[in-house]
Amino acid sequence: MPSLRLGNIAPDFEAETTAGPIKFHEWIGNSWAILFSHPGDFTPVCTTELGEVARRAGDFAKRNVKLIGISANGLKDHSKWVEDINDFGARYGPTNVEFPIIADEDRKISTLYNMLDEQDATNRDAKGLPFTIRTVFVIDPKKVIRLTIAYPASTGRNFDEILRVVDSLQLGDKHRITTPVNWNKGEDVIVHPSVANDEAKVLFPEVTFHKQPYLRTTPLKVSE
């Protein structure tokens, strides 16, 4: 099946999770959502990632973002794995995995979202089924896919970057701006190209017009 693209509606599905059965779109509700996959339970990189996400859960909640993981194991393994994650993660701060983890032993959801590593013959389970690659989907309240990132199985994700992109997307939706290279929340932003210069002066009184006529920057005061 073709890869999902930015702007596509995230496919809906029903699944068993560590927090009980869900219908994905219903579970998202009016929130943003991050769906992130893992090659398998009891794997070292994934354990560090889930511990970090658990510690940062408050940062995502402040942005109205729900978190949900998916791994190619059953609920019994997931429950035991969560104990490991909480135990290992505690050395870096309070860690409690409260977000759901989807059980996807048959890879149905991983196939639906094109998460499977079909190329690497070494990344397979005992039955020969491919594991999921380390994929991230950021989905908005309209169930539209706004970001996809795919990492190799050997490389842990940077959740500071994922939070940064969420900030950029949410501010862009609200304020008709885009964000420049290496931007972080609180720094100057770029006025969206669709905003005419006269309108920019009204919307953004501190706007700066640069030598390049298509580039206009402005501070953006936002509440936390």
Side-chain angles (χ1 to χ4, degrees):
M1 62 176 292
S3 298
L4 294 170
R5 304 288 187 181
L6 301 186
N8 287 161
I9 298 296
D12 198 10
F13 57 82
E14 296 184 18
E16 295 294 330
T17 81
T18 51
I22 66 162
K23 295 180 179 179
F24 189 49
H25 282 194
E26 184 178 290
W27 175 83
I28 293 173
N30 293 320
S31 300
W32 289 67
I34 293 178
L35 170 65
F36 58 112
S37 64
H38 300 272
D41 293 3
F42 309 109
T43 50
V45 177
C46 299
T47 299
T48 65
E49 288 184 326
L50 286 169
E52 173 68 7
V53 173
R55 285 191 298 274
R56 304 293 296 275
D59 292 329
F60 288 100
K62 284 190 294 187
R63 294 162 169 84
N64 190 33
V65 176
K66 290 183 175 180
L67 302 158
I68 188 165
I70 180 171
S71 184
N73 294 77
L75 290 180
K76 186 176 180 180
D77 281 346
H78 283 0
S79 296
K80 292 180 179 178
W81 188 31
V82 167
E83 294 177 11
D84 282 357
I85 295 161
N86 288 336
D87 179 69
F88 178 81
R91 68 189 63 197
Y92 300 106
T95 304
N96 187 19
V97 176
E98 296 183 342
F99 54 85
I101 304 173
I102 296 167
D104 193 33
E105 286 184 283
D106 57 11
R107 315 298 201 269
K108 285 185 179 178
I109 299 167
S110 298
T111 300
L112 184 65
Y113 275 76
N114 197 31
M115 294 175 172
L116 295 179
D117 186 355
E118 299 284 3
Q119 303 302 316
D120 185 355
T122 67
N123 195 29
R124 296 175 182 268
D125 67 10
K127 297 179 181 179
L129 291 172
F131 284 117
T132 51
I133 54 177
R134 215 176 294 280
T135 310
V136 179
F137 290 88
V138 173
I139 301 164
D140 71 17
K142 295 180 180 179
K143 317 304 182 285
V144 175
I145 296 171
R146 302 294 297 276
L147 170 76
T148 62
I149 311 176
Y151 291 77
S154 60
T155 303
R157 284 166 278 214
N158 185 328
F159 283 92
D160 287 331
E161 168 64 7
I162 294 168
L163 278 166
R164 188 187 78 90
V165 175
V166 169
D167 284 338
S168 174
L169 291 170
Q170 292 183 344
L171 289 174
D173 285 355
K174 186 175 182 179
H175 295 287
R176 298 177 70 188
I177 57 92
T178 60
T179 55
V181 62
N182 297 332
W183 173 88
N184 284 291
K185 196 170 184 178
E187 298 176 348
D188 285 4
V189 298
I190 297 171
V191 178
H192 194 279
S194 66
V195 179
N197 285 344
D198 288 343
E199 187 181 10
K201 294 174 184 177
V202 176
L203 293 175
F204 309 105
E206 299 178 71
V207 64
T208 297
F209 295 91
H210 295 271
K211 180 179 178 181
Q212 297 76 17
Y214 52 83
L215 184 54
R216 300 150 308 161
T217 58
T218 182
L220 184 67
K221 295 180 176 61
V222 295
S223 57
E224 291 296 329

